[in-house]
Amino acid sequence: MKTTAKAHTNIALIKYWGKRDESLILPMNNSLSLTLDGFYTTTTVEFQDSLMSDRFYLNDRLIDGKEYARVTAFLDRIREAAGRPDAFAEIHSTNHVPTAAGFASSASGFAALAAAAAKAIDLPTDEQKLSILTRQGSGSACRSIYGGFVEWEKGAKADGSDSHAVPIAPADHWDIRVAAVVLSSAEKKVLSREGMRRTVETSAYYPAWVDSIPDDLAAIKDGIAERDFEKVGEIAEANCLRMHATTLAANPPFSYWHSTTLSIMQAVRDLRSAGVPAFFTIDAGPNVKVLYLPEYEATIKETLRNVPGVHDVTVSRPGQGVSYI
Ligand code: PMV
């Protein structure tokens, strides 16, 4: 059966930073994200008897090398779970990202791939099983199975069977906006995988990061339930800064920020001083995402576009979970 699935990316408000198991992708800490409607991937999977290996097309280009290896390794898990080790697939994936610049699409990519492949190979799944499966392709992707506000529970079991996302509040719970500020198309120098490993192994601040998570999570969940923008924004921004602080205390130290990243952070603080509620968050790269409320959209866009070094600003609303087309 030929199956097409669509998944949106997500932005973490409480970051996932550090693995306790690299192979199964089990995190050290719970995380919490908002699924975004602005960035998504559609993926079509068809298992064909005539194929002796997988064929993977991304944006109509046949892919080989590392990217291909990551996709086939993930499909191996699905083949194994379905009891069909010799079933190979043709995969067509399209990333709907407004600009080509620096936006990781692994979250939407692996969520769409997991959903399409599991259905195409007749592997019985529900959303929780799909989240567990997706997690093994890319950690943050396990949150993209659900729409709106989503928590990834780290779980305690060694086999990862209790490490999956759970929905906290649906997309229509709260019309909060996220401006994605695009700086550069440069590849990030320290990939999230390597950055996490180095931080867990060497950063003096890493234990403090892990210790800080339960309070952040409890408070942000209250803020989301109450639709308290200041509370949610303050916690998300502080949590982001604490994650990035662990990289500065690693050995060797590193940082994902560019000079323009700092300029945008300052522009957001200046907006707040001028009475416009806005908060930033940054993942494992130089790009910044800014949280704000709809009534400030024009001001936010104009301010961010005017920061020197900014390429583009793209607006997202809360997005839906995975769907089949
Ligand atoms: O799942 P990965 O390997 O793309 O790691 C994502 C890590 C952060 O984006 C920095 C935080 C997060 O929770 O998404």
Side-chain angles (χ1 to χ4, degrees):
M1 194 184 19
K2 190 170 174 168
T3 308
T4 301
K6 173 180 175 183
H8 293 95
T9 190
N10 68 76
I11 177 72
L13 305 179
I14 305 294
K15 306 292 182 191
Y16 143 53
W17 195 242
K19 295 178 178 68
R20 63 177 201 273
D21 182 316
E22 299 235 353
S23 158
L24 287 172
I25 312 192
L26 297 174
M28 288 285 205
N29 65 279
N30 285 25
S31 54
L32 188 145
S33 61
L34 176 62
T35 302
L36 302 179
D37 77 346
F39 305 84
Y40 63 95
T41 302
T42 52
T43 298
T44 302
V45 176
E46 187 173 24
F47 287 91
Q48 297 171 2
D49 292 339
S50 57
L51 289 175
M52 305 303 285
S53 60
D54 298 314
R55 290 172 71 80
F56 172 45
Y57 297 83
L58 178 60
N59 299 331
D60 292 327
R61 207 163 51 85
L62 186 63
I63 302 294
D64 56 16
K66 269 192 192 155
E67 250 178 313
Y68 172 79
R70 200 167 163 202
V71 165
T72 51
F74 180 63
L75 287 179
D76 285 345
R77 293 185 189 271
I78 293 183
R79 284 186 270 269
E80 192 192 322
R84 290 182 56 192
D86 299 324
F88 296 104
E90 185 163 312
I91 305 120
H92 289 266
S93 213
T94 308
N95 282 333
H96 299 265
V97 181
T99 69
F103 276 99
S105 36
S106 75
S108 56
F110 275 96
L113 176 64
K119 196 161 187 180
I121 205 166
D122 279 330
L123 182 67
T125 51
D126 51 23
E127 284 174 324
Q128 186 169 308
K129 285 189 185 130
L130 203 52
S131 179
I132 290 171
L133 197 60
T134 304
R135 190 202 73 226
Q136 297 168 64
S138 160
S140 58
C142 83
R143 298 183 305 235
S144 278
I145 298 303
Y146 298 102
F149 295 88
V150 181
E151 182 173 1
W152 172 10
E153 293 181 349
K154 65 186 166 92
K157 293 185 184 165
D159 68 358
S161 58
D162 58 352
S163 183
H164 54 77
V166 289
I168 296 294
D172 63 5
H173 168 70
W174 192 9
D175 187 10
I176 188 174
R177 302 277 164 92
V178 178
V181 190
V182 184
L183 312 189
S184 90
S185 54
E187 280 280 302
K188 48 189 179 190
K189 286 199 191 73
V190 184
L191 296 173
S192 59
R193 185 169 293 234
E194 162 59 18
M196 282 186 205
R197 185 184 303 144
R198 195 188 300 174
T199 312
V200 172
E201 285 171 3
T202 69
S203 178
Y205 294 174
Y206 192 74
W209 158 257
V210 174
D211 288 348
S212 75
I213 299 293
D215 286 352
D216 273 4
L217 262 177
I220 206 166
K221 284 202 243 179
D222 285 348
I224 292 166
E226 296 154 5
R227 298 189 192 85
D228 182 338
F229 183 74
E230 299 275 338
K231 186 167 181 173
V232 168
E234 272 171 21
I235 295 165
E237 189 172 297
N239 181 270
C240 152
L241 290 171
R242 233 179 289 117
M243 172 201 133
H244 286 270
T246 68
T247 72
L248 297 177
N251 184 16
F254 64 104
S255 173
Y256 289 107
W257 299 348
H258 289 184
S259 56
T260 312
T261 312
L262 293 163
S263 303
I264 296 165
M265 290 157 72
Q266 191 54 46
V268 171
R269 292 181 179 120
D270 291 346
L271 278 165
R272 282 209 294 271
S273 302
V276 178
F279 297 90
F280 61 78
T281 186
I282 305 158
D283 281 337
N287 294 314
V288 183
K289 297 211 169 68
V290 178
L291 306 169
Y292 63 94
L293 291 169
E295 56 264 42
Y296 297 103
E297 184 143 304
T299 313
I300 294 285
K301 274 168 130 175
E302 198 197 325
T303 304
L304 297 174
R305 283 201 172 117
N306 284 332
V307 176
V310 168
H311 221 63
D312 197 12
V313 177
T314 303
V315 166
S316 279
R317 296 168 187 235
Q320 301 296 331
V322 89
S323 61
Y324 298 93
I325 300 172

